[in-house]
Amino acid sequence: MLNRHARGFFTALFTPLARWLLRMGVSPDAVTVIGTAGVVVGALVFFPLGQLFWGTLFITAFIFSDVLDGIMARMQDVKSRWGNFLDSTLDRIADGALFAGLAIWFFTGGADIPIAVAAMLCLVLGMVVSYARAKAESLGFTANVGIAERAERLVSVLVVTGLTGLGLPPVVLLATLVLLALASFITVVQRVLSVRRQAQAEPSPAD
């Protein structure tokens, strides 16, 4: 949902930067790699130290590389399967680092086991959400349904994490992570049922 509504705004916002980077000889793949590295550093360095607000700011500075590299690729009129694969793979690394960083802090110095467990649930279920779609598409099905796509997951967790670093009661972060884990679980079920319906609609080998 957020992807569709925000795409036009962010495309207009980042187009000048994308154009400038291309003139400087920077490739979309380089932006993808640098953006992922920035998110991983922010999540696995700042968060485990308890710097939730500054970690969120650092991550936000790099998280939009996922939009920027796509704009650059379209400007070059390049539809690369390699670029698509790289982008999707590194997205999973970035997402995993984000929730892992939160879990590390709340398992240790943050001393809040429920939040840590909820973060780990979000990590695992988020990966399953992505895997379900990828596996379905590899088998010739579609599974682009669901209420918890990547943009929604990232925006919700980053906003609340940053505010927690500024003094928002941790229970709000816990509630956000629990709701996010629940939404991710529902999305997995939606995708499984969608693929199941498509599989049942296929003609049997005997037909």
Side-chain angles (χ1 to χ4, degrees):
M1 291 182 291
L2 185 63
N3 283 329
R4 293 189 292 271
H5 295 310
R7 188 182 303 276
F9 171 76
F10 285 113
T11 296
L13 182 64
F14 288 110
T15 292
L17 177 58
R19 188 176 292 114
W20 180 79
L21 288 172
L22 289 173
R23 284 202 303 268
M24 294 296 103
V26 180
S27 70
D29 288 350
V31 171
T32 302
V33 172
I34 293 170
T36 301
V39 172
V40 170
V41 168
L44 296 183
V45 174
F46 286 91
F47 283 177
L49 294 174
Q51 298 294 328
L52 301 184
F53 176 71
W54 292 111
T56 297
L57 285 186
F58 190 90
I59 290 168
T60 301
F62 289 92
I63 202 74
F64 289 106
S65 64
D66 195 45
V67 177
L68 186 59
D69 59 11
I71 296 171
M72 293 169 67
R74 289 192 293 275
M75 284 182 170
Q76 290 183 320
D77 196 22
V78 173
K79 295 182 179 179
S80 167
R81 289 193 297 171
W82 156 250
N84 186 280
F85 169 80
L86 179 67
D87 188 58
S88 296
T89 301
L90 294 187
D91 280 352
R92 306 291 80 76
I93 293 175
D95 294 357
L98 178 62
F99 290 108
L102 284 175
I104 291 170
W105 167 243
F106 285 105
F107 271 130
T108 56
D112 196 317
I113 301 301
I115 291 180
V117 171
M120 292 303 297
L121 284 173
C122 287
L123 190 159
V124 173
L125 289 169
M127 296 299 171
V128 178
V129 166
S130 300
Y131 175 79
R133 179 171 178 172
K135 184 62 178 180
E137 292 176 351
S138 74
L139 296 173
F141 300 112
T142 60
N144 57 353
V145 298
I147 62 173
E149 297 196 23
R150 185 172 187 257
E152 284 87 345
R153 297 198 301 269
L154 289 180
V155 169
S156 60
V157 73
L158 284 175
V159 168
V160 178
T161 296
L163 292 176
T164 301
L166 290 177
L168 187 72
V171 68
V172 179
L173 178 58
L174 174 60
T176 300
L177 291 172
V178 169
L179 289 174
L180 189 56
L182 179 61
S184 296
F185 176 76
I186 292 171
T187 297
V188 171
V189 173
Q190 288 176 306
R191 292 185 174 184
V192 169
L193 292 177
S194 175
V195 172
R196 175 63 174 167
R197 286 193 295 270
Q198 293 171 63
Q200 290 178 325
E202 288 185 325
S204 63
D207 290 343

